[in-house]
Amino acid sequence: GNSVTQMEGPVTLSEEAFLTINCTYTATGYPSLFWYVQYPGEGLQLLLKATKADDKGSNKGFEATYRKETTSFHLEKGSVQVSDSAVYFCALGKGVQGAQKLVFGQGTRLTINP
Amino acid sequence: NAGVTQTPKFQVLKTGQSMTLQCAQDMNHEYMSWYRQDPGMGLRLIHYSVGAGITDQGEVPNGYNVSRSTTEDFPLRLLSAAPSQTSVYFCASKRQGGNTIYFGEGSWLTVV
């Protein structure tokens, strides 16, 4: 079946450090890949997405590239800020007759210290 | 910009009680779904709907009922709450043909 594996957290970095959160997936066919972010006490917000191999999603300085050969979608940011502290979820989505079933990784809690 | 609206935000139930979590979206999205989020786990799909009058089960449907009488609303019913249903519940929606799902802000449910 479909599954998503993220690097375990928590991850603690200093402000302006480089960030990588690893995400690998197992899926049949060609899923879409997503990164969602959840700030404390809030719901999930879409951070970025990629719908086909070699696509790069980007938003707010974050990037992730859909790598079919390594089945990965690692999240990166060159210089993190305190405001990036949140839980990050990698997910894959399979569209089936109008539905979009998301399969999530377990989430990675990120804390950025000033 | 209302988007996906969930009520209530917080609820405490006693074991065996019933309740309904409400979800409404104002984007005319055909697809709606409910997820639950448990500590250390990602979100898991409970039920989903591809349009009014159509519902189907997700990964963890037991103990929950849904109905979709209108495009806008997709309530989730707990008929007899159990402590294992203590969780954060998220409603989500997307338009037909799109692949981006929009989430509500969540409903924190505790069953004692």
Side-chain angles (χ1 to χ4, degrees):
Chain A
N2 300 328
S3 66
V4 174
T5 303
Q6 288 181 235
M7 70 185 279
E8 287 194 26
V11 174
T12 303
L13 296 173
S14 298
E15 204 165 22
E16 299 184 3
F18 183 85
L19 169 71
T20 300
I21 300 178
N22 290 338
C23 171
T24 57
Y25 68 91
T26 302
T28 56
Y30 303 95
S32 296
L33 299 174
F34 305 86
W35 276 100
Y36 280 85
V37 58
Q38 185 178 29
Y39 298 103
E42 298 184 11
L44 274 73
Q45 300 175 27
L46 178 65
L47 181 60
L48 54 83
K49 66 179 181 181
T51 58
K52 62 183 186 296
D54 299 326
D55 267 4
K56 177 185 284 187
S58 61
N59 186 25
K60 299 181 181 180
F62 291 90
E63 292 183 340
T65 301
Y66 189 161
R67 301 286 188 199
K68 192 170 187 299
E69 63 276 13
T70 54
T71 62
S72 64
F73 193 55
H74 304 321
L75 182 68
E76 296 182 335
K77 186 174 185 180
S79 176
V80 292
Q81 306 301 313
V82 173
S83 57
D84 294 326
S85 298
V87 181
Y88 292 81
F89 292 94
C90 183
L92 68 83
K94 293 295 294 290
V96 179
Q97 295 182 338
Q100 178 69 283
K101 300 182 182 181
L102 289 177
V103 175
F104 285 84
Q106 76 273 28
T108 303
R109 181 175 300 278
L110 173 67
T111 301
I112 307 299
N113 293 323
Chain B
N1 294 340
V4 180
T5 303
Q6 293 181 229
T7 56
K9 193 169 178 91
F10 299 98
Q11 182 72 49
V12 179
L13 285 179
K14 293 183 179 178
T15 297
Q17 284 186 317
S18 63
M19 79 156 299
T20 299
L21 298 176
Q22 302 291 345
C23 176
Q25 52 88 13
D26 62 358
M27 298 174 281
N28 205 31
H29 285 174
E30 293 83 0
Y31 176 77
M32 296 185 74
S33 55
W34 277 101
Y35 289 83
R36 60 178 288 174
Q37 181 184 27
D38 299 299
M41 302 180 70
L43 280 69
R44 293 180 293 168
L45 181 64
I46 304 171
H47 283 287
Y48 65 95
S49 168
V50 298
I54 306 169
T55 63
D56 207 344
Q57 296 181 351
E59 181 185 354
V60 287
N62 292 341
Y64 306 96
N65 282 353
V66 292
S67 60
R68 185 92 181 271
S69 57
T70 67
T71 299
E72 295 78 18
D73 301 299
F74 191 46
L76 178 72
R77 297 184 185 85
L78 285 72
L79 298 179
S80 179
S84 60
Q85 294 178 303
T86 294
S87 189
V88 184
Y89 292 84
F90 289 97
C91 181
S93 73
K94 82 168 185 73
R95 66 172 178 81
Q96 190 172 16
N99 61 13
T100 300
I101 291 185
Y102 298 89
F103 284 84
E105 294 189 344
S107 295
W108 275 253
L109 176 66
T110 301
V111 183
V112 297

